[in-house]
Amino acid sequence: MTDNQCIKRAAGLLREGRLVAFPTETVYGLGADASNATAVRNIFAAKARPVTNPLIIHIADISQLEAYATDISMQARQLAAHFWPGPLTMILRKQAAVLDIVTGGQATVGIRVPRHPLAQALLREFGSGVAAPSANKFMHISPTDANAVRAELGDEVQLVLDGGDCEVGLESTIIDMSGDQPVILRPGMIHAAAIEAVLGMQLGTHSTQRAPGMHLLHYSPRTMTVLMDSNAIQSLLPAASTRVLRQTELGLDPSDYAHNLYRVLRELDNAQFARIIIEDVPHTSEWAAIRDRLTKACARDK
Ligand code: TXA
Ligand code: MG
């Protein structure tokens, strides 16, 4: 099948209420027609995800925004104009018609315009919003290639559109634009400083929104994973050298590192080592989203 035929078939499946996995520039999403409650419910079943954890609605461009969101501030419009299509999700007040199963019964909805060409083509062909979480089982690492989606969800997804490796590799930045002040709920590769530069103001630090689904144990490998500074790793190495079976460089630059992180974690997890040891990354804002995911990958108590 040509790409075009795949897109037509995928849009047709969505219209029939089936699930389709598709690439975005961040991670792969598991999509359903956002206006079909049964289809959306099937996303939660396929992922074994609690229904209290709301989904992001993906749209092709800003012209579809008002179908889902209301009370859209000038600031939200500025962010949309600047960062869409791209890895930014905005939380806005929802239109009455948006289904409770999508928003977890909240008065707000998360919206994003992805820029991956296959996501764009699918959303244009489908013609309206696609509700999609990351295409992994609940609490697992988000998939960044089509094989990882199949490994996670197998038969539970009717079609996986293969768009290769995701460019960004980490989930979108989520910013709450529904309150008095914009507040970041989930850091991503669009940093606070870049958003502040566009808005010409400082972001708030406290959201009135609860941020369901931001559990500490999200994004965890099954293998015991620890974060250590390089000195601690150096002092461990002589004793461990015969037992260190693999060492992997993730990248010196935050965007290379983010691009590789989930793939490498998945590979190391599948290799079933006793332990994954990760060297700490700089404590600067450009590494903030990566540190957030590393901290979550290392959260114990599972
Ligand atoms: O990059 C991404 O954002 C990917 C791709 C597929 O777009 N999607 C993604 O979806 O990461 P998911 O469901 O895995 O994570 C979305 C997060 C959830 O933790 C959810 O709680 C939060 O967004 N969220 C969605 N709607 C919300 C709302 N109305 N209020 C607060 N948080 C919300
Ligand atoms: Mg997710």
Side-chain angles (χ1 to χ4, degrees):
M1 266 198 283
T2 65
D3 268 7
N4 198 24
Q5 287 168 321
C6 282
I7 295 293
K8 285 212 150 65
R9 169 143 184 266
L13 287 170
L14 290 175
R15 279 183 207 108
E16 289 168 22
R18 317 274 293 273
L19 305 186
V20 170
F22 62 98
T24 81
E25 69 280 16
T26 59
V27 300
Y28 276 70
L30 177 63
D33 176 354
S35 68
N36 181 331
T38 310
V40 174
R41 232 175 275 284
N42 284 337
I43 290 180
F44 290 92
K47 281 182 57 98
R49 166 162 161 150
V51 290
T52 46
N53 190 350
L55 305 181
I56 296 170
I57 297 183
H58 297 69
I59 55 177
D61 61 52
I62 193 167
S63 71
Q64 295 175 330
L65 181 60
E66 260 139 281
Y68 302 99
T70 177
D71 300 330
I72 305 160
S73 64
M74 266 315 295
Q75 293 166 336
R77 288 184 196 282
Q78 278 175 297
L79 294 186
H82 197 273
F83 292 110
W84 283 354
L88 182 76
T89 297
M90 288 200 278
I91 306 297
L92 296 161
R93 291 193 64 79
K94 77 173 191 82
Q95 287 284 8
V98 178
L99 299 172
D100 279 342
I101 184 73
V102 171
T103 65
Q106 301 192 91
T108 57
V109 61
I111 312 270
R112 173 162 117 78
V113 177
R115 70 164 175 246
H116 191 291
L118 283 186
Q120 274 287 323
L122 176 63
L123 293 170
R124 281 182 199 288
E125 178 68 30
F126 183 62
S128 62
V130 172
S134 50
N136 51 281
K137 293 276 187 190
F138 183 55
M139 303 289 223
H140 288 192
I141 294 168
S142 301
T144 52
D145 60 51
N147 284 336
V149 175
R150 290 189 197 99
E152 281 290 313
L153 297 173
D155 295 341
E156 281 171 288
V157 50
Q158 276 78 37
L159 177 69
V160 182
L161 289 177
D162 189 344
D165 255 12
C166 298
E167 173 202 340
V168 177
L170 288 192
E171 302 82 359
S172 61
T173 304
I174 301 182
I175 187 161
D176 177 14
M177 298 303 291
S178 70
D180 295 339
Q181 279 185 302
V183 180
I184 289 185
L185 299 183
R186 179 175 72 183
M189 295 308 281
I190 292 179
H191 307 133
I195 297 174
E196 287 175 341
V198 169
L199 296 180
M201 64 175 286
Q202 293 242 295
L203 301 182
T205 51
H206 183 76
S207 169
T208 49
Q209 284 300 306
R210 67 191 176 94
M214 304 291 172
H215 310 91
L216 200 57
L217 296 187
H218 235 105
Y219 321 105
S220 306
R222 290 153 302 181
T223 311
M224 151 96 85
T225 304
V226 288
L227 195 59
M228 291 179 130
D229 67 36
S230 44
N231 290 337
I233 295 179
Q234 288 311 320
S235 64
L236 257 181
L237 278 181
S241 59
T242 53
R243 292 182 290 133
V244 173
L245 294 178
R246 196 183 306 168
Q247 231 176 317
T248 311
E249 295 285 339
L250 281 152
L252 294 173
D253 166 86
S255 33
D256 292 342
Y257 192 109
H259 174 78
N260 292 323
L261 177 61
Y262 285 163
R263 176 181 50 77
V264 169
L265 280 182
R266 209 177 304 114
E267 284 168 8
L268 293 176
D269 202 17
N270 289 339
Q272 298 189 314
F273 292 113
R275 193 171 301 192
I276 299 172
I277 299 174
I278 305 176
E279 184 180 358
D280 202 0
V281 296
H283 291 218
T284 57
S285 63
E286 45 170 6
W287 289 88
I290 292 167
R291 292 196 85 243
D292 171 76
R293 304 311 191 278
L294 292 179
T295 307
K296 286 173 173 156
C298 293
R300 291 273 28 107
D301 155 31
K302 4 181 177 166

